[in-house]
Amino acid sequence: MATLDGSSRQVNLGQGIAVRAPGLRGRADAHNVAPGAETRAPEVDGSGAALDAALTREGFLRLRVITLDVAPVPQAPAGDLRAPVSDVPGMEVTVPDLGEDVAQVLLAVDENGVVSWNFPVDSGDTLAPTTRGSGDVVRFIVPAFASAPDAGEAAETRGVLGLIGRKVLELVALPLAELVVPPLAGAAARLWESKSRIARARSFTPANYTSGDVPSLADADWERLATGRSLWFVHGTFVNTDSAFRAFPSDLLAALSDHYGGRVAAIDHHTLGVDPIGNADLVRELVPDGVQIEADIVCHSRGGLVSRALAGQGGDPVFDVRRIVHVASANHGTALATPNNLVPFIDRITTMVNLIPDGPAAVVETALTSVLVVVKIIAKYGLVGIPGLAAMDSAGDFLHGFNSTELPAEQFAIAADFSPSGGWRAMAVKSVQNVVVDRVFGELPNDLVVPTAGVYEGDDAMQVREDRRLVLPKARGVYHGSFFGQRDVATQIASWLTG
């Protein structure tokens, strides 16, 4: 156990690890949790089975856990360290360099459960994810401070990634030499998804919609869906069908199933390696020859782009689509999808996973494994475009062309303006000249992942009529991942579909 005195001096924690934490006072300790050690990481950091399983599945090795029992020094002068992604006061952590074939990443969980993925920095303290094998040590600068929860806000005691209420840093390693890593980031994403995720169509019933253990549609299923108009659900980034829609009220789904004569299905699609038009083309290959599908669609996040592609946006239609209900769809993209914002993107997604109410470990693992693939790509290639995410880049070429023509289908939209507080606030906002703004979106209303208005309007042909919109105000506290647990949201979706 080492003592931090609030100064800028470097403190040795042993095992080749040192910390420099200006403005923080307290204790720090490094625990050996590497393979073969007597201590396992969950015994130290309180993390659950989902994180352990995701890291193991994706080839990451847990090496060390650094626990910190610290508090800010009152009225301490500003330190010389700034976290490169969040631009807040930072704390320097140095670890032994394990060579050019081993990438190291520092996963930080602060006192409020906010998660940040920290990659190495160069001598100028600039983010340099591919730095390794060039010296004796690798340096990280992680966010040093956590915000206090708002008065009256309920405090959580445990997150998916560990106990909330203390600062934990977890050093993980990725042995690149043991992996088959293609020479291009897009190819790496496609390879992973081809092995780990099934691109398919599946049934979606009140009895099975929360399960991933559902067979893909057979020819006979497609033929039955073609006997009348069918309803389809299309998920968003980093998830699959059962994790995306499991909060949808089962009684409302049963009513919708009755309305559509039991013709309800869903698309599981790859969200990293291909763009939405590519997703639609893969669905086209699944439809048996001679089968014509008339469809309505409920979609979320990136699934909105896939749904529009299925309806013929950007190419030939796969389905004859009458209506699309967009829920937090990235119809005009998100600044988080630009390469320079990939780290804030995965930080927000991982924090959402950490702070949501307890769910099945398999569901959490699904999101975490997708995030870890992006972590791999950043560690291997740096901040580069990934095809499935680049399609959501609000300043990118894909959306410029995709949104240039109007789609004949009737479109509806549900969006939210989320006002972060407590841990969410520490993740999302900063103060600029005494004005609190979102780190990525500025003063633009958003749901933590997509701009609110971007779901339904923009400076192009993609527009949703005002009378076909439901916009949830800040007071509702609905963020990007919590729409389908709102009863009125599901009721409005059903009303639009059946009206």
Side-chain angles (χ1 to χ4, degrees), residues 245-454:
F245 300 109
R246 67 183 304 107
F248 197 93
S250 59
D251 62 317
L252 291 179
L253 180 59
L256 283 171
S257 182
D258 289 343
H259 178 81
Y260 285 89
R263 295 180 298 274
V264 185
I267 300 293
D268 280 326
H269 58 94
H270 295 167
T271 66
L272 298 177
V274 295
D275 66 30
I277 294 175
N279 293 134
D281 287 340
L282 288 171
V283 175
R284 191 191 316 277
E285 295 176 5
L286 299 175
V287 183
D289 291 342
V291 171
Q292 303 292 324
I293 299 294
E294 297 179 350
D296 292 334
I297 302 177
V298 176
C299 51
H300 179 243
S301 192
R302 182 186 182 277
L305 303 180
V306 177
S307 299
R308 289 165 57 202
L310 290 169
Q313 193 87 62
D316 295 329
V318 180
F319 298 159
D320 177 7
V321 177
R322 179 186 63 162
R323 292 175 179 167
I324 302 174
V325 179
H326 294 283
V327 181
S329 292
N331 283 320
H332 293 92
T334 171
L336 284 168
T338 65
N340 285 340
N341 283 329
L342 281 181
V343 178
F345 196 174
I346 60 175
D347 285 353
R348 293 189 184 207
I349 296 298
T350 315
T351 298
M352 287 180 194
V353 170
N354 194 38
L355 294 181
I356 59 175
D358 289 341
V363 173
V364 174
E365 185 185 341
T366 296
L368 289 178
T369 51
S370 296
V371 167
L372 288 173
V373 173
V374 179
V375 172
K376 286 183 185 178
I377 290 172
I378 295 173
K380 173 67 176 177
Y381 304 105
L383 300 176
V384 297
I386 301 171
L389 300 183
M392 297 189 295
D393 184 350
S394 53
D397 293 336
F398 179 86
L399 282 177
H400 179 73
F402 193 69
N403 286 344
S404 61
T405 58
E406 188 174 350
L407 191 67
E410 299 175 17
Q411 298 189 77
F412 303 81
I414 300 177
D417 180 9
F418 180 70
S419 180
S421 60
W424 297 111
R425 182 179 179 87
M427 171 189 65
V429 303
K430 63 179 179 180
S431 179
V432 180
Q433 295 179 341
N434 297 321
V435 176
V436 175
V437 298
D438 188 284
R439 298 186 197 284
V440 174
F441 298 107
E443 297 183 67
L444 201 63
N446 65 88
D447 67 6
L448 284 180
V449 175
V450 301
T452 306

Side-chain angles (χ1 to χ4, degrees), residues 7-30:
S7 71
S8 294
R9 72 182 182 90
Q10 190 175 73
V11 177
N12 185 10
L13 304 186
Q15 307 174 58
I17 298 174
V19 172
R20 189 161 66 91
L24 288 180
R25 190 160 49 201
R27 298 175 299 175
D29 198 9

